[in-house]
């Protein structure tokens, strides 16, 4: 059994309760026994991309008390240079064009892709795009045949929420073409939508991890469009020896 704790959209600096919410979720995951094998944080680590927010994120996330590695990718609220330098310790942060990472956990591979579109003069771009270099990296890593989880911030499909669908991944067809060439993709994990959601993409599960700092509600629900009144949510993915992905979402008061 491979156990994955999947958090997303921590948005340090974006809400007064953000740090408390992250610590609550991490403490809950750290108390699980047997422990999880990996912790994923799929983007929007901070809210404004400032040095101060990344310093706080580094301090809080470094306090993760479990033995599992913590893997992450940037989201649209992140800013690539301080994300790479402060949070990921990249010496080439000033010149890096995408912060893609590949990690092995046991027999599985996790490809963490950077779908952030950099804005000009501090402007934030909310939709996502995977650069050709990122797609080529994914294609090369999948060629190994190892069971692989593809992780990025932006969902590549509509989830029927008016706020989120226009700002999803713009070149989803190019990502699908890569995934469809390989039969060793187990699932795709994303964030961005701040909702616990399951669908499919390129014939495999596509799972949105929920939202730590806030929830984006369904258009039909009698709730605010974005609310921090609902508790933080995250996913626990269980992958059995047969390769089946079973997902449980948790909300914490």
């Amino acid at each position: 059994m491979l156990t994955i704790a999947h958090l997303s959209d921590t948005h340090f600096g974006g809400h007064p309760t953000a740090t408390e919410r992250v610590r609550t979720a991490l403490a809950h995951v750290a108390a699980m026994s047997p422990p999880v094998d990996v912790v994923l944080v799929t983007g929007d680590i901070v809210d404004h991309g400032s040095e101060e927010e990344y310093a706080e994120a580094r301090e809080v996330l470094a306090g993760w008390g479990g033995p599992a590695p913590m893997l992450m990718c940037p989201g649209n609220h992140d800013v690539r240079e301080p994300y790479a330098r402060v949070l990921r310790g990249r010496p080439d942060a000033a010149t890096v064009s995408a912060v893609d990472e590949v990690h092995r956990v046991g027999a599985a591979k996790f490809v963490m892709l950077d779908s952030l579109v950099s804005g000009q003069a501090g402007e934030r771009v909310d939709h996502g795009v995977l650069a050709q270099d990122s797609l080529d990296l994914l294609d090369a890593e999948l060629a190994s045949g190892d069971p692989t989880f593809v992780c990025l911030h932006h969902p590549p499909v509509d989830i029927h929420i008016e706020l989120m669908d226009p700002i999803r991944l713009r070149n989803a067809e190019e990502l699908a073409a890569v995934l469809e060439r390989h039969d060793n993709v187990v699932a795709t994990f994303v964030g961005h939508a701040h909702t616990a959601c399951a669908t499919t993409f390129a014939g495999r599960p596509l799972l949105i991890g929920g939202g730590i700092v806030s929830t984006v509600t369904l258009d039909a629900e009698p709730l605010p469009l974005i609310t921090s009144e609902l508790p933080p949510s995250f996913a626990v993915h269980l992958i059995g020896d047969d390769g089946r992905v079973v997902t449980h979402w948790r909300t914490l008061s």
Side-chain angles (χ1 to χ4, degrees), residues 28-72:
H28 184 90
V29 173
M32 292 177 64
S33 180
V36 302
D37 298 295
V38 62
V39 177
L40 302 179
V41 188
T42 50
D44 280 0
I45 311 299
V46 305
D47 199 63
H48 304 96
S50 70
E51 297 269 344
E52 294 77 14
E53 288 175 338
Y54 282 115
E56 181 184 19
R58 182 179 58 193
E59 178 185 358
V60 173
L61 297 177
W64 152 243
M70 178 179 288
L71 316 180
M72 62 186 68

Side-chain angles (χ1 to χ4, degrees), residues 134-159:
S134 297
L135 294 167
D136 291 344
L137 169 71
L138 175 61
D139 200 22
E141 292 295 336
L142 288 172
S144 70
D146 299 317
T148 300
F149 299 92
V150 179
C151 309
L152 65 153
H153 183 64
H154 293 84
V157 297
D158 287 341
I159 58 169

Side-chain angles (χ1 to χ4, degrees), residues 1-4 36-38 68-69 71 103-110 144 146-149:
M1 180 76 72
L2 179 68
T3 304
I4 302 167
V36 302
D37 298 295
V38 62
L71 316 180
H103 301 269
R104 183 176 292 279
V105 179
K109 194 182 283 186
F110 289 80
S144 70
D146 299 317
T148 300
F149 299 92

Side-chain angles (χ1 to χ4, degrees), residues 161 193-198 207-211 215-216 218 233-235 247-251:
I161 293 179
H194 292 236
T195 186
C197 180
L207 299 162
I208 300 173
T215 299
V216 172
L218 298 175
S233 62
F234 65 92
T247 296
H248 301 266
W249 279 277
R250 284 291 174 268
T251 57

